[in-house]
């Protein structure tokens, strides 16, 4: 947890990293492999004053080096001034008890841009 916090601080704020973005909403559905695949629904509102850290943790207990990094998707969306982006990521982490495709997320990212820039 402590390392995670440091990563967040090192990443900087949304307003610093993507100054043209005035707000962002990330909808995520977490899936696990198994009988009840939907693990959690999550909506994250990101403001310019929030940290630009989009490496979401894997929710599976004991998962090592796992997670879902939305940063590349967000970067390319901002570059192309795209408002809505959807996709799916599979956790690449390892656990003792589960297979490598133990968890995935589906995401939908909506970005609002400020009018003044460019
Ligand atoms: Zn995982």
């Amino acid at each position: 947890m402590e390392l995670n916090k440091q990563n967040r601080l090192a990443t900087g704020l949304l307003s610093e990293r993507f100054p043209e973005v005035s707000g962002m909403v990330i909808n995520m559905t977490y899936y696990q492999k198994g009988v009840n695949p939907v693990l959690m629904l999550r909506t994250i509102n990101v403001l310019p004053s929030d940290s630009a850290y989009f490496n979401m943790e894997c929710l599976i207990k004991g998962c090592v080096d796992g997670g879902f990094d939305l940063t590349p998707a967000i970067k390319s969306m901002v570059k192309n001034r795209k408002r809505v982006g959807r996709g799916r990521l599979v956790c690449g982490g390892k656990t003792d008890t589960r297979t490598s495709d133990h968890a995935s997320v589906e995401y939908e990212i909506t970005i609002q841009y400020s009018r003044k820039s460019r």
Side-chain angles (χ1 to χ4, degrees):
M1 279 313 261
E2 197 48 43
L3 186 71
N4 210 330
K5 204 176 165 188
Q6 281 172 14
N7 284 342
R8 277 173 201 274
L9 288 174
T11 306
L13 302 179
L14 185 69
S15 58
E16 294 163 359
R17 196 143 178 217
F18 303 114
E20 61 270 65
V21 173
S22 61
M24 201 184 284
V25 180
I26 305 170
N27 281 299
M28 293 175 78
T29 308
Y30 286 81
Y31 295 96
Q32 63 179 341
K33 207 176 186 184
V35 199
N36 293 306
V38 176
L39 202 59
M40 189 173 90
L41 298 171
R42 194 177 174 198
T43 302
I44 306 159
N45 284 288
V46 190
L47 299 170
S49 56
D50 289 331
S51 96
Y53 186 79
F54 305 112
N55 199 347
M56 309 302 175
E57 284 161 53
C58 179
L59 298 175
I60 304 297
K61 263 189 189 148
C63 178
V64 178
D65 294 331
F68 309 100
D69 193 1
L70 299 176
T71 312
I74 291 170
K75 259 191 198 164
S76 96
M77 280 178 73
V78 172
K79 204 177 152 202
N80 299 305
R81 282 220 152 207
K82 217 175 145 189
R83 287 182 175 276
V84 183
R86 293 182 188 87
R88 186 167 179 265
L89 293 171
V90 177
C91 178
K94 291 189 180 72
T95 76
D96 290 341
T97 50
R98 297 183 188 236
T99 53
S100 58
D101 58 345
H102 57 269
S104 62
V105 294
E106 271 171 20
Y107 62 84
E108 185 185 279
I109 303 166
T110 310
I111 300 179
Q112 287 107 47
Y113 297 94
S114 57
R115 270 159 216 227
K116 52 187 175 189
S117 63
R118 270 183 281 170

